[in-house]
Every structure is written in structure tokens, then in C-alpha cells.
Amino acid sequence: MSEYSTFEEEEFYTSFDGRTFLRLLSLMKPHWPWVAGFLFCITSVSFIEAYLTFLGARLIDEAIIPGNLDALRSIMIQWAVLIVLLSAGVFGFIYLTGILGQRIRYDLRKRLFNHLQDLSFSYYDKTPVGWIMSRVTSDTMRMGNVLTWGLLDSTWGIMAIISGVIFMLAINWQLALVVILIVPLLWIVATEFRKRIIKYFRLARRTNSQITANYAEMIQGVRVIKAMAREEKTLGEFGVLTSRMYDASYRAAWWSALFLPAVQLITAFGIGAIAWYGGWQTTVGTMTIGGIQAFVGYVTMMMFPIQEMARVYAELQQAIASAERVFSLSDAVPDVQDRSGAAEVESIAGEIVFENVNFHYEPQKPVLKQFNLRVAPGETLAIVGPTGAGKSTIINLMCRFYEPTGGRILINGRDYTEISLHSIHSQLGIVLQTPHLFSGTIRDNLRYGRMDATNEEVIEAAKVTGVHVFIMALEEDYDSQVGEGGVLLSTGQKQLISLTRAVLADPEILIMDEATSSVDTLTESLIQRSMDTLMVDRTTFIIAHRLSTIKKADRIIVLNAGEIEEMGTHRELLKLKGHYYSLYTKQFRSEAAARESAAAEVSTQQPVPGR
Ligand SMILES: Nc1ncnc2c1ncn2[C@@H]1O[C@H](COP(=O)(O)OP(=O)(O)OP(=O)(O)O)[C@@H](O)[C@H]1O
Ligand SMILES: [Mg+2]
């Protein structure tokens, strides 16, 4: 977590990136009618506001000073009408902003969600889940906010300044030119101050989290610190951090305190100019009292929007950094995707051939080199071998979660990259090493691979894997909730449900990677028996560490460091007296030895009769 926040804070200082900014703006394109309505409302509101100030001037000059009641009435009527319009406009743009923000965030999240499903496993290998989550949640939020509330504040500000300037120029252009000078001044002060304030606040916050982390580490490691006599060194490091924190906080406070007086000073300069030049002009007769009043109004009206815009500008820089990260996610091209003209095929039953397949997850670490394997239609192939041998990798390639980096995989004589991913995946039944369930009921999870399965079919499949008894023992049997990711179930139970899911899907190719590794041996052997009928005439890949479960496979390959060391049936391999033999006898022996020693323990603990 802390790693990511530091990462984000540093990125804040990257300079303004125009291309990303334009791309950020383009997110509003599909909603242009709302944007147009919003801009219309905001422009109207700003001009009405500026005109109201002008009307105030006329009220003084034309009605109050000369005592003209007709003028008073007509101005008051205009005033009332404009106030109603103004309120309608304000309602309009706030309402539109709310809707627009919702739509933009929805669009972004939907787009990312779809994209995340398309991305290949290799992307997830390289990218931490936490990173992706922050992109989908906080970054999209920030982008949506800046595109709506940020846009609102800044357009309102800009329009307020523009309309104010127009009216000032109309009243007295010389004075207007002097007063307008304070706009850039205010802007510079506001942005510069904000930059410094944010910088020191962030520094203080970051140092604070380092101090917290230091505390935690110190408390956890206090024995080591003492034992190694490192107290002084630790204290020294702590001192550096606290003084850095003090310094940053002090500077943040200094710049924050200075900000408002600076703004007031500049505004005072503007008002001073109005009083001095305007006052002088009234004596000459080129300026009215109402005019001076209006000028003061315009200057105060500008002060706030400029500060707001400086804030929005800071937020915009952050939003651009967010957008950059979100776009990097949405631009990531899946490594595995359909080739143009990929064929939809009804069936992928048939011979499967791995032809000189090379594969690596990381370029410097090849997992498979010139790997060849031919699996006959309907064959049950078992893969055994030590951890890290590449068993799951073969399955990953078979499922086309990854594609070979060299060589080909042929299904029915056809390179599988010429077949659509959908055709392949819809005919595969996969039980992965780490079972995953989705929150919902057991029934939903079982049906995941075949949504149209009837209740009877669901139950039948559950009986094959033996999970039916367990499910019926639950309070709400098939309608029991499994919790998020299946947390309410044990790993073994999750495996059984994933297995049932694959059985129910009735796929042409069944793939089981340690499908029952967390299930007790008794249950496993029961499953084994019913699965045997299921595997007849169905191409099946089984990976298992417990060799008893694969004895009946048509063929067993022993894999080591990505290479096939031995291949044959259980009997053939035993006869070879090679790796398989030693693996098997070792397992068998340890099981037998366990049985023997258990039997021995039981017999020694038996009470001697007659005592
Ligand atoms: N996503 C990945 N990214 C990088 N390297 C990986 C990845 N998955 C596996 N590897 C590496 O590839 C090699 C083969 O791994 P694989 O998962 O195929 O082994 P396995 O035979 O299934 O082992 P196990 O019996 O432990 O499941 C290992 O060296 C492993 O470190
Ligand atoms: Mg594995």
C-alpha cells in the first residue's frame, strides 16, 4: 500500500501532459449533449451574475441618486426575472454535472472491467492486483471528478472573469485595463502558493508514514536492536525523520498562513486603483458612483474563481497522472487474443500435438524447450513430476492461457491459434490447482460452465464427484452461499465444487491440475472411481502428486525441468525401474510404512487383558 502511495505522490510533479489531457477530455465526447447543456447553463449564469452587478450600478445611478421611481420599478422587475433565471441555471449545471460525472465513471469502469477480462494471464503475472484495483477505483473517481466538478469550477471561474472584464470594459475601459492586471497576479500567487503548500503537506505526510513504519519496525525488532546494541543508531535515524517532519510542517504552515494576506493585498491593490482612479474620474464626470460600486463588485467576484481555478489546476495535474495510469491499463494489449479470421469451430475433439514447443514466462528462464507431445483423441494423459517441473505450464498452454513462444500446438491438425479462443474455451473443462468460486450460491457456481443445466443435471454431476452428500448436509443445500471467492468453504470443498462444475459442463477435453489434492484420501478414491467412467473416450489431462489417482491413466509422462523423462502406462513405467518407479515405491512405501507403524502403535497401546 505504502509503496503505491509513494509512487503516486512522486508522479504528481510530472509536468502537464497535453496529450493525456486531451484524451481525458475526449472521455466526455459521447455525452456531448449534456456537456453542451452544462456549458450553456454555466455561461448564462456567469453573464447574468455580471449583469446583476451592472444592474446594481444602474440602480444607484439611474434610480436612487436621481430619485426616479419608474426606473427603480423597471430595474427591480429585471432583477427579479434575472434572479429566477440564475437559479434555474445554477440548478441546471449542478444537476448536469452530477449526471455527467456518474456517466463518465461508469463508462470508464465498464471499459476497464471488460478489458481486464480480455487481458492475458501474462499481464496479471507482471501487475500486482492492488495496482489494478487502485486504477479501477480511485483513479477513475479522480478522473470523473476533475472532468465534472473541476470543469464546473474552472468554466464558472473563466466565464465569471470574462463576463466581468466585458462589463468593466464597457463601463470604463481605462480603469478596466488597470484592474485586469490583477488577474495574472492573483493567478501566479494562487498557483505558486498552492504548489508549495501541497508540496510541504505531502512531504510531512510521507515522513509521518515513515515514522509510523519505523515505530512498528522498532517495536517488532526491539530484541534484535538491543541484542546488537543498535539503540543509538536507531535513535539517530528517528531523529532525522522527526526533524524532517518538523521542517516540512513548519513550511506548510508558513505558506498557508501567507496565502490569504497575499491575495488580500493584491485585491486591495485593485480596489485602491478603483478608488483612486475612479474617484478622480467621477470629478471629471466620466465615471459614476454606481460604476465604482460595480468595479468593486467585479474585482471581489474575480478573487474567488481564481483561487478555485488554482485548486482545480492542481487537481487536474493529479487527474492527468491518474489518467496516464488508467490509459496504460486500458491500452495494454492482451498477449493472447484472436487472430484476424480465427475460425469458430464446433468441436475441438481430436488429436492434440505439441510440436517443438518453446515457452517461458520470463525471457531469461525457459520452462519448455523443444517440447513434443502427442495426445490421441479420448486418451487420458497423466503428468507427474517434481514441483516446478512445468506441469501446470503444459496445461496453461493447452488452455491457451498463454501461447507457445516457439513451435505450435495443433488440435486436430490445425494450429490452435487459427481457432477462436471462444471455441477452445467453451469445450474445455478445467479444474485448476487453485480453485476459485464466485460469490453466490453453490448452484450458481456449479452452473457457471453451463448455464442451461437443469437441477437434475446439477445433482447428477454432484453425485459423480460425491459432493452431493456434503451439499445436502448444508442448511440451504444447493442454495447455500459460498461467500466471496468461496471463503465459506474449505479448499477441499472448493476443489470438489470446481470439479463438479467441470463435470457438469460436459466438455470435450477435461483438464485437472491437482484437482483433488486437498481432499482426504478416502473421498479422493471414491471420486476416482466415478471419474473413471467420465474419462472414457474423453481426452483428459490429469496432474497429480498422489500417484494412486493416476494408475489407470492410458499414459503417464514423468516431467522434469520441462523435459519428458519417462513415458508409458503405470505398469510399463514400473517395469522401467526409473524415476516413476522410485517415486511410486517411495510413496507406496511411506504409505505402507505409515500403515505398519500405525498398526504397531495401536497394538502396543492395547491394554493387556487381565491387568
Ligand atoms: N506466472 C509465472 N510467472 C513466472 N514464472 C512462472 C509462472 N508460473 C510458473 N513459473 C515458473 O515456471 C516453472 C514451471 O512452473 P509450473 O507451475 O508449470 O510447475 P508445476 O510443475 O506445475 O509445479 P507444481 O507441482 O508446484 O504445481 C517454475 O520454475 C515456475 O517458477
Ligand atoms: Mg502446478
Side-chain angles (χ1 to χ4, degrees):
M1 185 63 212
S2 63
E3 185 191 333
Y4 298 124
S5 52
T6 327
F7 170 59
E8 278 173 19
E9 307 208 346
E10 270 162 13
E11 240 172 310
F12 173 73
Y13 296 105
T14 54
S15 57
F16 188 88
D17 176 357
R19 273 227 329 266
T20 313
F21 176 63
L22 288 181
R23 213 172 148 193
L24 186 62
L25 282 185
S26 76
L27 293 175
M28 295 198 293
K29 227 195 240 161
H31 311 293
W32 67 267
W34 302 89
V35 178
F38 160 85
L39 288 177
F40 173 75
C41 284
I42 232 165
T43 315
S44 315
V45 164
S46 307
F47 273 91
I48 292 173
E49 273 185 327
Y51 186 71
L52 282 176
T53 310
F54 181 66
L55 213 54
R58 280 184 52 203
L59 186 74
I60 295 172
D61 292 343
E62 294 171 23
I64 296 176
I65 296 179
N68 185 339
L69 285 184
D70 282 343
L72 181 68
R73 194 174 331 113
S74 108
I75 289 173
M76 289 317 287
I77 290 172
Q78 279 188 54
W79 192 286
V81 172
L82 287 174
I83 286 291
V84 172
L85 287 178
L86 184 81
S87 315
V90 170
F91 168 81
F93 71 65
I94 294 184
Y95 179 67
L96 288 173
T97 306
I99 291 182
L100 202 60
Q102 215 41 51
R103 290 186 166 218
I104 290 172
R105 279 191 291 268
Y106 173 79
D107 277 1
L108 266 176
R109 290 192 181 147
K110 192 170 126 204
R111 180 136 50 108
L112 286 180
F113 192 83
N114 278 338
H115 188 66
L116 286 174
Q117 293 196 316
D118 289 340
L119 281 175
S120 313
F121 280 30
S122 52
Y123 186 81
Y124 293 99
D125 292 344
K126 288 176 287 198
T127 321
V129 178
W131 188 87
I132 297 176
M133 288 307 291
S134 339
R135 303 305 63 91
V136 179
T137 53
S138 54
D139 278 344
T140 52
M141 178 76 112
R142 204 177 282 158
M143 289 160 75
N145 280 348
V146 96
L147 281 180
T148 50
W149 302 111
L151 184 73
L152 186 157
D153 289 336
S154 50
T155 25
W156 197 354
I158 291 172
M159 292 322 285
I161 292 169
I162 292 179
S163 51
V165 166
I166 291 177
F167 278 96
M168 284 195 285
L169 284 171
I171 297 172
N172 185 318
W173 68 268
Q174 293 97 331
L175 182 55
L177 287 183
V178 178
V179 171
I180 290 166
L181 271 183
I182 72 165
V183 174
L185 264 178
L186 268 179
W187 174 253
I188 291 168
V189 165
T191 48
E192 286 302 311
F193 272 63
R194 192 160 284 278
K195 222 185 328 188
R196 290 196 170 75
I197 294 170
I198 288 179
K199 179 174 144 192
Y200 291 119
F201 267 128
R202 275 166 193 273
L203 186 62
R205 213 173 51 211
R206 208 160 41 192
T207 317
N208 190 34
S209 51
Q210 276 173 351
I211 291 176
T212 319
N214 251 28
Y215 258 120
E217 205 170 32
M218 187 268 287
I219 294 169
Q220 281 157 9
V222 70
R223 289 213 178 99
V224 182
I225 295 173
K226 280 192 183 307
M228 301 284 193
R230 299 287 285 193
E231 287 102 326
E232 238 164 76
K233 175 111 195 325
T234 316
L235 204 63
E237 285 165 7
F238 192 70
V240 170
L241 281 179
T242 40
S243 68
R244 190 188 301 161
M245 164 118 180
Y246 173 80
D247 193 51
S249 310
Y250 165 78
R251 281 168 197 266
W254 165 265
W255 287 104
S256 309
L258 215 55
F259 181 52
L260 212 55
V263 169
Q264 278 169 336
L265 203 69
I266 295 172
T267 319
F269 165 76
I271 293 183
I274 295 166
W276 179 72
Y277 184 80
W280 173 56
Q281 293 275 298
T282 45
T283 60
V284 191
T286 47
M287 187 92 178
T288 61
I289 296 180
I292 292 183
Q293 152 88 12
F295 261 85
V296 173
Y298 290 126
V299 168
T300 22
M301 224 167 85
M302 278 180 191
M303 219 174 86
F304 186 64
I306 291 177
Q307 291 179 51
E308 279 298 285
M309 280 157 62
R311 181 181 57 79
V312 172
Y313 184 68
E315 279 173 13
L316 181 65
Q317 280 178 311
Q318 269 183 303
I320 285 179
S322 288
E324 236 165 63
R325 294 189 293 260
V326 167
F327 292 144
S328 86
L329 177 59
S330 67
D331 291 345
V333 181
D335 284 344
V336 176
Q337 56 181 336
D338 278 338
R339 305 290 189 273
S340 62
E344 292 289 339
V345 297
E346 278 290 309
S347 160
I348 56 165
E351 194 188 39
I352 294 163
V353 178
F354 283 62
E355 193 182 87
N356 298 327
V357 168
N358 289 330
F359 182 75
H360 58 74
Y361 295 98
E362 291 155 32
Q364 64 280 18
K365 273 172 60 187
V367 180
L368 297 181
K369 274 188 287 187
Q370 298 290 314
F371 182 82
N372 286 292
L373 180 69
R374 191 174 293 270
V375 185
E379 187 177 358
T380 298
L381 178 86
I383 309 174
V384 302
T387 291
K391 305 182 294 295
S392 299
T393 305
I394 292 178
I395 301 271
N396 282 339
L397 288 169
M398 181 62 237
C399 298
R400 214 171 144 198
F401 294 149
Y402 298 82
E403 285 172 0
T405 46
R408 298 191 296 172
I409 294 177
L410 305 158
I411 297 180
N412 242 339
R414 189 173 197 176
D415 188 334
Y416 80 167
T417 58
E418 291 167 10
I419 304 171
S420 78
L421 281 164
H422 178 258
S423 305
I424 296 175
H425 289 159
S426 59
Q427 287 301 338
L428 287 177
I430 313 162
V431 189
L432 291 177
Q433 204 162 4
T434 41
H436 184 85
L437 303 186
F438 294 96
S439 44
T441 64
I442 290 189
R443 198 192 308 276
D444 296 339
N445 270 288
L446 292 178
R447 278 218 186 110
Y448 197 78
R450 208 178 111 211
M451 300 308 269
D452 59 349
T454 64
N455 280 338
E456 286 68 40
E457 287 169 323
V458 171
I459 292 173
E460 208 172 300
K463 282 183 177 162
V464 170
T465 59
V467 79
H468 177 70
V469 181
F470 152 71
I471 295 174
M472 291 313 284
L474 296 173
E475 212 162 286
E476 289 175 84
D477 52 78
Y478 283 85
D479 293 316
S480 309
Q481 294 287 331
V482 301
E484 196 183 316
V487 282
L488 302 180
L489 302 177
S490 74
T491 312
Q493 290 160 349
K494 277 191 272 188
Q495 283 187 338
L496 289 180
I497 290 185
S498 319
L499 187 65
T500 315
R501 177 159 71 190
V503 168
L504 181 64
D506 191 26
E508 289 177 346
I509 299 177
L510 187 62
I511 292 172
M512 296 184 283
D513 190 350
E514 302 279 356
T516 51
S517 57
S518 297
V519 174
D520 65 82
T521 34
L522 181 65
T523 314
E524 190 177 42
S525 61
L526 290 177
I527 296 172
Q528 202 51 47
R529 218 168 295 158
S530 35
M531 291 297 286
D532 286 344
T533 52
L534 203 84
M535 289 187 248
V536 175
D537 293 337
R538 192 191 304 262
T539 312
T540 309
F541 290 77
I542 314 177
I543 295 178
H545 277 297
R546 271 186 226 147
L547 301 183
S548 54
T549 58
I550 54 155
K551 272 200 281 196
K552 286 197 198 138
D554 296 321
R555 199 154 44 118
I556 299 169
I557 61 175
V558 181
L559 199 71
N560 195 5
E563 285 179 19
I564 297 179
E565 291 199 323
E566 285 169 10
M567 183 155 73
T569 62
H570 176 66
R571 276 161 177 257
E572 287 165 0
L573 290 181
L574 285 186
K575 262 191 228 152
L576 264 182
K577 300 229 161 162
H579 295 281
Y580 185 80
Y581 176 84
S582 65
L583 267 179
Y584 186 76
T585 45
K586 230 180 262 162
Q587 262 190 23
F588 182 74
R589 230 184 277 139
S590 60
E591 272 173 33
R595 266 201 301 274
E596 264 167 36
S597 78
E601 270 179 46
V602 168
S603 66
T604 52
Q605 275 171 12
Q606 252 170 17
V608 180
R611 242 197 213 170

